[in-house]
Amino acid sequence: MDTAFRTPPHSTTTDGAPRTVGVEVEFANLDAPSAAAVVRSLYGGALEPEDPHRCRVTGTRLGDFAVELDMRSAHPGKTEESDAGPLGKAVGKAVDGVVEALRPWWGNIGSLVMPFEIAAPPIPIDRLAELEPLFAALSAQGAAGTDASPLFAFGLHLNPQVARTDGDYVLDHLKAFLLLAPWLRREIRVDPTRRLTGFIAAFPVDYAVKVVDPAYRPDLDGLVGDYLEANPTRNRELDLFPLFAHLAPETMAAKLSDPHVRPRPTFHYRLPNARLGDPDWSLAHDWNRWVAVEELAADRDRLDALGTDFRAFAAREALDGWAAEAGRRLAV
């Protein structure tokens, strides 16, 4: 497979600025300080430990990186003020002290099965290749990906900034993703453990059939409402909660209360495996598959034609063959 990074049809935002991509990669067998040292060795900057299981690398030539154990209870958090009286507050402080003292131990235990994660800063699309050495360097230092153990369900998340913020643009990309998701799953060979966790669940077939219909053209609020009704969860292969929280905050707030949703003008693509340690793996492979989604989204005629055919496959209960059909159509 070609390891050159392909450029999507829309490489800039509406104001002409280069689009950026956030990249998050999960791994095991390498702690936060060691992984942060790898980042600093490649990109410069200052290593700033925040707790035993979380570091930042600031001021690199690409921006600021975060490296941490993906386990909230392992990290100190802000304590909330209590309405209890003086005795209650004193007891609360004592309990908080014990909890904080235990956090490093929880992290040590959690790191046996929970992943560490590097979150790169938003990087211009034309500089994505500069991240490739990071994957190789982490592997050389012993970082293990999802293939290393049946217990590891580690992913690579891509967060491409949207080129536009109108409803048609977002809908076209959702349609394209729904049409190509079976092909993506086949090409990626999604790890069985990751499928079992439910964090990257496929969209319901009935919802996909509804959305890919060429006649389906709601406004943004209608799109968000339909999405939330069919997908009241962040655990989808393509999580649109952050984007919808950015584009339609009032609609989201009226229908959903989830403190973990951070509004941002990006798609949150969660399907790829994190295959650190595999010499045949490249960030470019998974990025280029995402670009195939954007290319289909930018071609309305092809998008509508595939939507019509997908619905015909679904009506015949023949969607098991759709991955091969979609791959064949992409190759044309």
Side-chain angles (χ1 to χ4, degrees):
M1 183 182 291
D2 186 6
T3 56
F5 285 80
R6 290 164 55 187
T7 301
H10 303 288
S11 58
T12 63
T13 61
T14 51
D15 61 3
R19 286 175 65 199
T20 61
V21 185
V23 178
E24 305 161 23
V25 62
E26 298 173 337
F27 56 90
N29 294 0
L30 199 64
D31 61 22
S34 300
V38 171
V39 172
R40 183 177 61 178
S41 71
L42 290 172
Y43 307 112
L47 198 160
E48 301 177 0
E50 295 188 351
D51 66 53
H53 301 290
R54 179 166 57 194
C55 300
R56 287 170 55 82
V57 186
T58 60
T60 81
R61 61 182 170 85
L62 293 175
D64 296 346
F65 288 75
V67 187
E68 67 178 7
L69 180 65
D70 193 10
M71 180 180 176
R72 285 186 177 85
S73 60
H75 307 295
K78 295 181 180 178
T79 56
E80 295 182 2
E81 290 294 326
S82 171
D83 292 330
L87 178 59
K89 290 183 178 180
V91 172
K93 287 182 179 179
V95 171
D96 288 342
V98 173
V99 169
E100 293 306 315
L102 288 174
R103 287 190 193 278
W105 293 96
W106 291 340
N108 292 339
I109 295 169
S111 65
L112 298 176
V113 292
M114 299 296 290
F116 283 88
E117 178 186 83
I118 292 180
I123 294 172
I125 288 173
D126 62 4
R127 298 186 67 184
L128 267 178
E130 295 182 47
L131 278 184
E132 204 78 271
L134 175 61
F135 290 67
L138 290 169
S139 297
Q141 291 297 312
T146 195
D147 293 339
S149 168
L151 297 176
F152 295 166
F154 303 161
L156 170 75
H157 297 181
L158 301 177
N159 300 281
Q161 180 185 19
V162 295
R164 304 200 321 257
T165 57
D166 58 277
D168 276 344
Y169 173 88
V170 176
L171 176 58
D172 285 342
H173 283 75
L174 176 56
K175 285 174 179 274
F177 182 83
L178 292 170
L179 290 168
L180 296 187
W183 170 79
L184 289 167
R185 288 192 292 271
R186 186 190 69 172
E187 292 295 302
I188 293 168
R189 301 190 303 277
V190 179
D191 180 79
T193 305
R194 296 189 67 224
R195 292 200 301 269
L196 289 173
T197 63
F199 293 133
I200 51 168
F203 287 90
V205 172
D206 288 350
Y207 177 71
V209 168
K210 173 180 179 177
V211 173
V212 302
D213 184 347
Y216 181 73
R217 281 287 158 189
D219 61 15
L220 181 60
D221 285 341
L223 172 60
V224 174
D226 288 348
Y227 182 96
L228 292 177
E229 182 177 354
N231 308 281
T233 174
R234 295 181 295 138
N235 297 331
R236 289 287 183 259
E237 304 160 317
L238 179 66
D239 171 22
L240 293 184
F241 277 16
L243 179 58
F244 287 156
H246 174 78
L247 297 180
E250 294 181 359
T251 302
M252 285 288 287
K255 296 177 178 290
L256 176 77
S257 177
D258 188 336
H260 300 137
V261 176
R262 293 187 296 120
R264 52 187 175 181
T266 66
F267 298 109
H268 186 37
Y269 174 48
R270 309 171 65 185
L271 191 57
N273 299 320
R275 290 167 48 198
L276 291 171
D278 181 347
D280 295 326
W281 184 50
S282 166
L283 174 61
H285 296 165
D286 286 305
W287 168 250
N288 291 343
R289 293 184 185 110
W290 170 258
V291 172
V293 173
E294 296 210 9
E295 289 172 341
L296 177 57
D299 187 338
R300 180 68 63 82
D301 290 341
R302 192 159 63 113
L303 189 67
D304 286 349
L306 262 68
T308 299
D309 292 345
F310 179 93
R311 287 166 57 83
F313 269 66
R316 299 198 307 271
E317 298 184 350
L319 283 179
D320 286 347
W322 181 254
E325 174 66 13
R328 183 185 69 79
R329 300 281 285 273
L330 285 176
V332 172

